[in-house]
Amino acid sequence: MTERMTAAQFRAMAAEESTHKRSKYRAIAAYRCKSCDAPVTKRQAKCIACGGTEKRFFASRAEAQRYDANKARERRGEIEGLELQPAFPLVVNGIHVGVYKADSRYVIAATGETVVEDVKSEATMTEAARLRMKLAEACHGIKIRKVFKGRSAT
């Protein structure tokens, strides 16, 4: 004969299983239409605004919001050449160590300064992330601007 479980036991089991299925940093992904930059969902086949079918993926909503802000700055003429997910190969003493992918890169129109940005939260600013950023700064001679969720750029 099979045993029955109580509702409290079922809820406890479901809560335990759901913690294993969540992403490591509990970030909720965001998508934008490649044609018009309108927000779309993962399951949408077409953009409601323009009918486009291609999407941009952002690892978190904070990253998508920062992209929206940078896109607005680009339209106003403050920045130019906004590029998403630029890759920086990490090579030390001729040995390929890895690749660092920032969230965005752009040029400030007034000064001509190139800015590399990475959106982080307290959870995603791990020792490994710090090490990759420092290594990219050392290998490529760049300065990475860290934008923390809910705070201004540093």
Side-chain angles (χ1 to χ4, degrees):
M1 181 176 230
T2 60
E3 286 187 39
R4 298 183 68 106
M5 72 172 72
T6 65
Q9 289 172 328
F10 176 77
R11 281 192 293 275
M13 183 185 73
E16 184 179 321
E17 286 180 5
S18 67
T19 58
H20 297 294
K21 293 179 183 177
R22 290 186 183 166
S23 70
K24 186 175 181 180
Y25 303 112
R26 297 182 183 205
I28 298 173
Y31 298 87
R32 298 287 187 267
C33 174
K34 278 193 176 181
S35 303
C36 67
D37 289 324
V40 293
T41 63
K42 182 179 181 179
R43 294 183 179 162
Q44 265 181 290
K46 289 184 180 179
C47 173
I48 295 171
C50 71
T53 57
E54 293 187 27
K55 302 171 192 167
R56 281 194 178 95
F57 170 77
F58 297 96
S60 67
R61 284 188 281 184
E63 188 179 327
Q65 289 169 352
R66 185 62 187 172
Y67 168 74
D68 293 340
N70 283 338
K71 198 68 176 168
R73 290 175 66 200
E74 188 177 41
R75 278 188 230 111
R76 288 193 304 265
E78 295 174 20
I79 64 172
E80 51 193 34
L82 180 61
E83 180 185 352
L84 294 176
Q85 301 289 323
F88 297 93
L90 304 175
V91 180
V92 179
N93 294 333
I95 300 170
H96 179 77
V97 178
V99 176
Y100 169 71
K101 279 191 178 181
D103 290 334
S104 63
R105 174 173 46 194
Y106 55 85
V107 177
I108 298 175
T111 62
E113 176 190 1
T114 300
V115 177
V116 178
E117 277 188 353
D118 205 345
V119 178
K120 291 289 180 192
S121 69
E122 298 298 325
T124 59
M125 189 50 120
T126 61
E127 286 299 317
R130 283 187 190 95
L131 180 63
R132 280 191 301 273
M133 286 182 191
K134 285 181 183 178
L135 193 55
E137 288 175 342
C139 289
H140 294 278
I142 58 173
K143 179 71 177 134
I144 298 171
R145 182 181 291 177
K146 297 157 206 77
V147 180
F148 287 94
K149 187 172 142 184
R151 289 191 266 161
S152 62
T154 56

